[in-house]
Amino acid sequence: MTSRSEPRRDLAARLRALAACGVLGGLLAALAALPLVGTAGITVNRVSRTLTDLPDGPRENPLPQRTVLLDRNGKRFAQFYTENRTVVPLERIAPVMRDAIVAIEDSRFYEHAGLDVKGTLRALVTNTRAGGVRQGGSSLTQQLVKNILVENSESESERAQARAPSIQRKITELRYALAMERRYTKAEILERYLNIAYFGAGAFGVEAAAQRFFSVPASRLTLPQAATLAGAVRTPYATDPSLDARRRERLRERRDLVLERMAQLSYVPRAQAEAAMRKPLAIRLRPEPGGCNGSDHPYFCLYVHRELLTNPAFGHTRAERERRLARGGIVLRTTLAPKAQLAAERAVSARVRARDTEVAAEAMVEPGTGRIRAMAASKRYGRNAGDDGRSSYGPRTTYNLPADTAHGGGQGFQAGSTFKVFTLATALAKGWRFDQGFMTPGSFVPARGFTDCAGNRVNDPRAKIFNASGEGKGGPQSLSTGTWKSVNVFYMMLEQRVGLCPVVRTARALGIVRADGAPLREVPTFTLGVNEMDPVTVAASFAAFGARGRYCRPMAIVEIVERDGESLRVPPSCAQAIEKDVADAVNHLLSGVFTKGTMTGQGIGRPAAGKTGTNNGYTSAWFAGYTPDLAAAVSVGDIRGSYRYPLRDVEIGGEYYGSVQGASLPGPIWVASMAAALEGTSETPFHRPDMGRFGGGFTPGMAEALAAEREREAGRDGGRRPVHRGHRTRGGTDAYGHRGYREPRGYRYPRAYREPRGYGRGGTDARRAERAPAWWRYRDRDR
């Protein structure tokens, strides 16, 4: 006589066998047999309560989807996702796809209430005979529940628990399935399943899978394509067509199995199914790159990504913003203008090569709104092959070169003489006139008269400031001539007279902050641009002058469309930073830079204003300029460290430069990009300045100086205008006042030469720049 323990041992053996086959439906067989083994501790009443006293169903969080970035014309240029998924309604999924998934995964889907007794027992017999998994034992609803529980998991241990082949997990899964059948229609359950399932090759949900496998939307899937995707669901990793030919062959076998099953169930005529079996897989894998590495415009993409993570407008805390980005499903309409972006990219790449250690970066910003229209750099974004991505020698970089550190950038380059514009604006606001000025010496020591905004005296009697090459040794300079020629000594003395703190306040009102986020250095050489900056910040600041003094915070996102279709417009954040009349006066003088100053001979064929910036020792060079419609800033420096590798005797983009100045490389990049970006748009003139307020003025000795200059131009003195690219001077001086300076051949400092101490503060020997204070140096670190 057989003992009562033998049936229990036989049942346990069956359960182990079912678990080994991966058949979740084995739970049903176990439950069906439980009334026969009451001594095992599980009674019929207990089973009954398990299947009737049901929970509400699993918690359903929004499925992770792609966040899509669109340019101003509505074209996608980047996307972020943790799971490549696009949720679509059932009506946007081809009926043949719905039939295929039901045929292979749950042929009695429309007949059962979440628990398919007959189907489970049939799967048990089929899989036992085949020695492996040929049919699914769980209903589609049970599979949906499992996927939901996996998606809800917040750790690897929770995910492992949601997948564990335990009876307790299967019972929980079953109870949730029965609850979902009460809560949703069959169509709603099928829609949820097709959107949550993983199909392989990084594709979550049927829409992403159709695009990834066949480059078509789910609504246009054919019979062979639908059968292929339905076959991939069971073992998505073993049938991943993106990995190798062996897995593709397995996928074909699964496709044919689905087609056979569809014919058996009369979803399709057998002849049609057999014809589909004879066709090749015809996989057309479409790349679905995620993140900025795969974007056409990676620097702009990175800026948007960092903006989402750092701007409180997109979430109260960083954790909330990170969750929002990971959950995705939103569409971001950005400010990117394809025409301006292409113009910037072409202008930069035409003059600086990706493999050059010298890097050029440009940002374009719209005056009056702060909308960033373009961000470009000479290096491609990403990691260099064979290193950790931080190498300065490859064609790629992980720095967002046009941006600040908060948006993935480096520590920036000193802005040089572009900062003179803030002293100019401050002087005009204080009542200075265009022709007002004073006599200037050949050098200047900031020994007195400089006080920062905290009331501290920041004089530096050790420093000695000289004019740069071509500016002369001294003489009368007015607000106009000092600006057009970018005279260092004149601007140091002007800053002393109008006050260092008022100049700093003007700069701050116009959005100036250091690229590294540190406080601005309020030192006497503030007006000479000792603070490290990034092109986006400088471009936005100069754009304010084009908008008649209205400063707008740089913005890259104009609208957020949530997954439910609700949209949120992001308005510009603007304020009147300086008087309109003062801005008009600044525009008038900076327009002269193109006709009478450092950019003479270079222009864009329409009214424009701007300022060159060449740094002490040629460590970096800038040009920032604007029209009333568009502003741009271009920086050039060596990514390995601007003080260790100044822009002297260098070859950039295949051309030799004795020294790189604002007008010799950044200026031409600006001209080429702005001309192309504004091509075809109507010209917008600047407002005429109030000559009653700003016109006139007196500068001692100016009349005599102008007469002497006219004589030189007539040829009596044989003088020459300097040519900016590799220029030579005869009997001229270098940036530090040394005579006999010649470029480009054999440029060398005198043997015992030391850079003037205290340019800014703590000047250093150019050959021992590594000993410079930390705030002088561009740090080449990936922050």
Side-chain angles (χ1 to χ4, degrees):
M1 185 174 182
T2 306
S3 69
R4 296 175 62 88
S5 63
E6 289 180 0
R8 291 197 296 271
R9 285 198 300 270
D10 184 54
L11 174 62
R14 288 187 183 184
L15 288 174
R16 286 195 298 271
L18 290 173
C21 290
V23 182
L24 298 181
L27 171 61
L28 180 59
L31 291 174
L34 283 176
L36 303 177
V37 288
T39 56
I42 304 178
T43 65
V44 173
N45 289 337
R46 187 172 171 186
V47 172
S48 177
R49 287 196 304 271
T50 297
L51 300 181
T52 57
D53 187 12
L54 299 175
D56 294 333
R59 183 182 78 256
E60 294 184 78
N61 295 328
L63 292 176
Q65 297 187 63
R66 290 180 291 186
T67 290
V68 177
L69 277 60
L70 306 179
D71 63 26
R72 68 180 299 186
N73 297 335
K75 181 180 178 181
R76 184 178 70 181
F77 67 91
Q79 58 188 2
F80 308 130
Y81 56 79
T82 53
E83 293 181 0
N84 179 21
R85 176 189 284 111
T86 300
V87 173
V88 292
L90 194 64
E91 56 265 25
R92 287 175 52 189
I93 301 172
V96 69
M97 181 68 224
R98 306 176 218 167
D99 293 342
I101 202 72
V102 169
I104 193 63
E105 292 298 320
D106 188 358
S107 61
R108 294 170 54 80
F109 173 68
Y110 295 104
E111 301 171 25
H112 64 68
L115 177 62
D116 182 13
V117 177
K118 184 177 178 180
T120 299
L121 294 177
R122 184 190 64 248
L124 171 64
V125 173
T126 301
N127 293 330
T128 301
R129 287 176 177 174
V133 178
R134 302 291 288 180
Q135 290 185 13
S138 298
S139 67
L140 273 180
T141 316
Q142 287 174 272
Q143 294 180 50
L144 172 60
V145 168
K146 178 181 178 180
N147 278 296
I148 291 173
L149 295 177
V150 171
E151 284 290 345
N152 289 347
S153 301
E154 296 182 358
S155 65
E156 283 299 327
S157 60
E158 288 186 13
R159 277 185 284 274
Q161 186 176 355
R163 296 188 181 104
S166 66
I167 289 183
Q168 180 59 49
R169 194 264 296 171
K170 292 175 182 178
I171 292 175
T172 300
E173 200 175 273
L174 176 58
R175 297 179 72 225
Y176 277 142
L178 295 173
M180 292 194 77
E181 288 277 352
R182 291 182 178 181
R183 183 176 180 182
Y184 297 117
T185 66
K186 289 292 186 178
E188 290 171 331
I189 291 172
L190 183 58
E191 177 184 303
R192 280 169 166 75
Y193 177 79
L194 285 170
N195 278 303
I196 200 172
Y198 180 60
F199 290 82
F204 291 82
V206 68
E207 176 68 18
Q211 297 282 2
R212 179 78 169 103
F213 282 52
F214 301 109
S215 301
V216 298
S219 60
R220 292 172 48 197
L221 286 167
T222 63
L223 172 61
Q225 292 171 341
T228 301
L229 295 184
V233 168
R234 179 56 55 85
T235 55
Y237 298 101
T239 56
D240 188 335
S242 68
L243 297 179
D244 53 45
R246 182 167 54 89
R247 286 178 172 83
R248 286 200 180 201
E249 184 56 34
R250 288 179 183 170
L251 181 59
R252 177 170 183 152
E253 293 173 1
R254 287 287 302 170
R255 179 202 69 175
D256 293 349
L257 180 64
V258 174
L259 291 168
E260 174 64 30
R261 184 65 178 155
M262 292 180 75
Q264 290 175 3
L265 297 172
S266 300
Y267 279 114
V268 295
R270 177 161 292 279
Q272 187 178 353
E274 290 177 350
M277 291 181 197
R278 291 192 292 271
K279 292 183 179 181
L281 276 180
I283 296 292
R284 295 178 56 198
L285 286 174
R286 188 177 81 173
E288 291 288 354
C292 297
N293 243 3
S295 172
D296 292 335
H297 310 300
Y299 296 110
F300 197 99
C301 169
L302 187 61
Y303 192 97
V304 171
H305 184 263
R306 292 299 183 94
E307 187 74 3
L308 285 172
L309 292 179
T310 59
N311 193 332
F314 306 114
H316 296 297
T317 65
R318 184 178 178 92
E320 180 181 340
R321 295 189 289 269
E322 287 177 345
R323 283 194 298 271
R324 186 177 190 182
L325 187 61
R327 188 170 66 247
I330 58 179
V331 175
L332 301 173
R333 301 188 186 277
T334 74
T335 61
L336 179 68
K339 184 177 179 180
Q341 180 66 35
L342 180 62
E345 289 173 355
R346 286 180 173 175
V348 169
S349 62
R351 291 163 178 81
V352 185
R353 293 173 178 169
R355 286 198 170 275
D356 293 338
T357 57
E358 297 82 10
V359 293
E362 181 173 22
M364 292 182 167
V365 175
E366 183 178 83
T369 66
R371 292 173 178 168
I372 304 171
R373 293 307 190 189
M375 294 176 66
S378 55
K379 287 188 179 293
R380 296 187 292 275
Y381 182 75
R383 297 186 180 277
N384 291 308
D387 65 25
D388 62 358
R390 299 181 183 180
S391 171
S392 304
Y393 298 94
R396 298 179 178 273
T397 180
T398 53
Y399 293 116
N400 188 1
L401 293 172
D404 57 10
T405 55
H407 294 89
Q411 309 242 340
F413 294 113
Q414 287 187 335
S417 293
T418 59
F419 262 45
K420 290 173 182 174
V421 69
F422 307 121
T423 305
L424 172 63
T426 304
L428 289 166
K430 285 180 173 286
W432 282 65
R433 294 174 174 267
F434 294 149
D435 295 329
Q436 182 178 348
F438 43 80
M439 292 293 295
T440 64
S443 63
F444 176 76
V445 177
R448 60 183 176 83
F450 293 91
T451 304
D452 65 17
C453 291
N456 303 313
R457 294 179 180 177
V458 290
N459 307 307
D460 192 351
R462 301 172 303 164
K464 194 171 186 179
I465 308 304
F466 295 88
N467 288 330
S469 178
E471 294 173 359
K473 297 178 292 183
Q477 298 290 348
S478 67
L479 211 57
S480 298
T481 62
T483 299
W484 298 335
K485 296 179 182 179
S486 193
V487 183
N488 288 344
V489 170
F490 172 79
Y491 262 93
M492 287 292 297
M493 296 175 69
L494 181 63
E495 181 188 58
Q496 183 186 49
R497 297 186 183 199
V498 301
L500 169 60
C501 182
V503 172
V504 172
R505 286 174 177 164
T506 298
R508 284 181 175 146
L510 290 164
I512 289 298
V513 291
R514 284 174 58 92
D516 60 5
L520 288 171
R521 289 197 59 81
E522 300 176 28
V523 294
T525 46
F526 183 88
T527 192
L528 300 184
V530 297
N531 283 283
E532 283 83 2
M533 304 300 299
D534 62 278
V536 169
T537 300
V538 175
S541 180
F542 273 66
F545 295 109
R548 303 191 70 196
R550 179 177 170 83
Y551 170 75
C552 299
R553 182 185 182 274
M555 63 181 300
I557 303 170
V558 294
E559 185 181 18
I560 302 175
V561 182
E562 300 287 355
R563 60 174 68 206
D564 60 1
E566 182 180 351
S567 64
L568 171 67
R569 295 287 299 180
V570 182
S573 177
C574 305
Q576 193 69 33
I578 59 175
E579 297 175 63
K580 291 182 179 180
D581 286 349
V582 171
D584 294 340
V586 170
N587 299 339
H588 174 73
L589 287 184
L590 293 191
S591 296
V593 170
F594 288 98
T595 58
K596 307 171 186 178
T598 53
M599 283 286 285
T600 299
Q602 303 190 66
I604 59 173
R606 66 176 65 208
K611 185 70 189 73
T612 52
T614 306
N615 279 297
N616 179 41
Y618 303 104
T619 55
S620 61
W622 286 75
F623 187 79
Y626 55 95
T627 72
D629 303 303
L630 190 63
V634 180
S635 68
V636 177
D638 198 305
I639 197 172
R640 297 171 298 177
S642 59
Y643 280 87
R644 287 182 296 149
Y645 299 96
L647 303 177
R648 297 191 304 263
D649 294 321
V650 292
E651 183 178 310
I652 304 175
E655 290 199 35
Y656 172 80
Y657 295 82
S659 63
V660 176
Q661 302 178 48
S664 63
L665 184 53
I669 291 174
W670 184 93
V671 167
S673 62
M674 286 286 286
L678 293 170
E679 184 180 9
T681 63
S682 59
E683 296 181 9
T684 303
F686 293 110
H687 284 74
R688 293 180 60 84
D690 182 352
M691 297 305 290
R693 177 179 176 183
F694 301 108
F698 174 72
T699 299
M702 180 60 74
E704 295 80 359
L706 291 176
E709 184 175 343
R710 284 194 293 269
E711 290 181 359
R712 287 195 299 272
E713 289 178 353
R716 290 183 58 188
D717 197 30
R720 296 182 181 178
R721 295 179 63 85
V723 179
H724 293 294
R725 178 171 295 169
H727 73 270
R728 292 180 148 196
T729 60
R730 178 173 296 178
T733 60
D734 67 6
Y736 313 102
H738 291 285
R739 289 187 174 276
Y741 177 65
R742 282 181 178 271
E743 293 188 82
R745 292 183 180 177
Y747 182 88
R748 296 288 186 274
Y749 279 122
R751 181 172 298 176
Y753 174 71
R754 286 180 60 85
E755 291 186 73
R757 296 185 63 191
Y759 180 85
R761 292 181 65 183
T764 61
D765 188 326
R767 297 178 181 176
R768 287 180 275 177
E770 66 276 6
R771 300 159 80 181
W775 61 269
W776 270 61
R777 297 194 299 271
Y778 175 83
R779 297 183 182 89
D780 188 31
R781 294 183 299 178
D782 192 1
R783 295 289 294 260

